[in-house]
Amino acid sequence: MDGTPATLVVTFENCGPGPLNVAFASISGPDAADFGDQGPQSTPLAPGATLDVSVTYAPSAPGPSSAFLPYTPCTDCEPQAIALSGTGVDGNLVFTPSPIEFGNVPEGSTATMVVTATNLGTEPLTVTSFGVSADGNAFALSELPALPLALAPQQSATFTVSYSPSGSAGGDSGTLLANWTVADPAVGNRQANDDLSGL
């Protein structure tokens, strides 16, 4: 999940006959900022002893991330590195068309437009509500899908937006809204919006 940390434990074990002093360097690589470790800078390891180092991954954006955890297993040893990788996933609810512009509509009549809501993200999301924020009742929604609405990545649903001019000088405007969530309980409710206008 984009921005939500996950943690794995890397275990180091001294399999040799003598003691070791394992030294760690800062995580490096193209996406080093997405990873963090909670290990000591250096630690002695007796023969047969183990050391657990917690590595966290909090992706800054959807998509793959990679980095390295450098360490030196002993004073006279060559530096080594453990490859780190992960994939950030997130939902992304988008309306089409955007903005929703009805243009000139004769007063006393109603124009309709089919709007598509699509999950352009990389993980499933669930729409919990659709609504309109506007002054007056110029805009309305109909033919809405049943809620809650689960949308897999790249999956869409359609509904209808209607516009009945209020006669206000300069036309009418508002905002189409949708509240949605993803499965990760650490991520709160989100909202997608699209501008509405008509004359």
Side-chain angles (χ1 to χ4, degrees), residues 41-58:
Q41 289 186 334
S42 65
T43 188
L45 277 183
T50 60
L51 169 68
D52 290 339
V53 175
S54 296
V55 179
T56 58
Y57 174 52

Side-chain angles (χ1 to χ4, degrees), residues 95-102 113 115 161 176 194-198:
F95 293 117
T96 306
S98 181
I100 302 170
E101 299 175 329
F102 284 92
M113 189 179 300
V115 175
V161 180
L176 171 64
D194 199 354
D195 291 335
L196 301 165
S197 65

Side-chain angles (χ1 to χ4, degrees), residues 10-111:
V10 180
T11 300
F12 295 82
E13 181 178 2
N14 181 0
C15 298
L20 296 176
N21 190 68
V22 183
F24 296 91
S26 298
I27 290 176
S28 60
D31 304 297
D34 290 353
F35 297 88
D37 70 271
Q38 301 168 10
Q41 289 186 334
S42 65
T43 188
L45 277 183
T50 60
L51 169 68
D52 290 339
V53 175
S54 296
V55 179
T56 58
Y57 174 52
S60 57
S65 304
S66 61
F68 298 93
L69 174 60
Y71 71 98
T72 304
C74 65
T75 304
D76 300 322
C77 296
E78 290 291 324
Q80 307 289 323
I82 296 174
L84 307 174
S85 65
T87 301
V89 296
D90 203 357
N92 183 23
L93 186 66
V94 175
F95 293 117
T96 306
S98 181
I100 302 170
E101 299 175 329
F102 284 92
N104 293 306
V105 177
E107 193 170 345
S109 62
T110 298

